[in-house]
Amino acid sequence: VAFMVGIGADRFSSISVMKATDNAAQETFNLLFKVAKSPGAPVVKVTELDGDVILDWGNNAGAVAVTETKIADPGHYTFQGYNIYQFASPSATLDQAKRIATYDVVDDIKVVLNEQFDLASGAFLKIPIQFGSDAGVKRLFRFDRNYLLDVNKVYNGQEYYLAITAYSVTQVPGYIAALESNPSILTVVPKVPFGKTFTARFGDTLKVTKAGTSDGFAL
């Protein structure tokens, strides 16, 4: 048994909202209550450095594979990209966060629109819910500025709150256009590393010289 209600801008739009809710409930029933799940949340490795923090979610190959290759049904949802957020506090919600970067698959799927009811107009409108740009998928992010305060630096010893989510898009009309994993907020603190410090910069590489006759190699 399902009891439906709808609250819109007026009595007529409220009926439209009620009908949309009824359609969603009926579709869920028809699918035997099997609802597609959002992609797996990225497993993030945090490195706290002098004046910046490195977030790496590509170090766990198994977790990356689960997030980026699993197809969720119903709706045939496929991986599309990652979002990086900054929060004002560890208890803040996703709608209170600032999205500071998006790394998405290069496939001409950019801004993802979803049909939602708009109280101001009293009608169903296509609302942007994801903001890709065909930037390409990356699994590394350098946090070296406070995006919430628009300050071009971060301070050693101060706590900052970040999260990385993954999102997928549906290939079937009639479903929610995109699903996003729940954010797991990380508390990061830039600091001068303890111990020996090497003179290297973010993005530097090492030149490897092979010696001997082994078949070993470096990636």
Side-chain angles (χ1 to χ4, degrees), residues 35-54:
V35 180
K37 296 182 179 180
S38 58
V43 178
V44 186
K45 177 182 178 182
V46 177
T47 304
E48 298 167 333
L49 302 172
D50 183 9
D52 64 4
V53 175
I54 307 301

Side-chain angles (χ1 to χ4, degrees), residues 61-162:
V64 170
V66 170
T67 297
E68 298 185 12
T69 63
K70 186 175 181 179
I71 297 175
D73 283 310
H76 202 79
Y77 286 87
T78 58
F79 170 77
Q80 187 62 29
Y82 295 104
N83 288 320
I84 298 94
Y85 296 95
Q86 183 179 354
F87 296 77
S89 73
S91 60
T93 58
L94 190 60
D95 59 348
Q96 298 170 327
K98 182 177 181 63
R99 183 176 56 88
I100 59 181
T102 296
Y103 301 134
D104 60 320
V105 177
V106 180
D107 59 359
D108 290 329
I109 298 176
K110 298 179 182 178
V111 176
V112 180
L113 303 176
N114 190 63
E115 189 175 71
Q116 297 180 5
F117 185 78
D118 179 62
L119 284 174
S121 63
F124 285 90
L125 303 175
K126 293 287 188 178
I127 306 296
I129 58 174
Q130 293 295 340
F131 300 87
S133 61
D134 274 2
V137 174
K138 297 181 181 179
R139 304 178 189 91
L140 198 72
F141 181 77
R142 180 182 184 183
F143 177 72
D144 59 358
R145 70 183 306 271
N146 189 332
Y147 293 84
L148 289 179
L149 300 180
D150 196 22
V151 176
N152 284 322
K153 66 180 301 183
V154 293
Y155 295 94
N156 289 340
Q158 181 172 329
E159 292 186 349
Y160 298 91
Y161 311 102
L162 307 172

Side-chain angles (χ1 to χ4, degrees), residues 11-65:
R11 64 185 186 277
F12 296 111
S13 63
S14 294
I15 294 174
S16 298
V17 174
M18 181 184 66
K19 289 181 176 179
T21 304
D22 176 71
N23 289 337
Q26 184 64 53
E27 183 65 22
T28 302
F29 175 80
N30 294 343
L31 294 170
L32 302 178
F33 300 97
K34 294 180 180 178
V35 180
K37 296 182 179 180
S38 58
V43 178
V44 186
K45 177 182 178 182
V46 177
T47 304
E48 298 167 333
L49 302 172
D50 183 9
D52 64 4
V53 175
I54 307 301
L55 304 179
D56 176 9
W57 60 99
N59 61 89
N60 188 322
V64 170

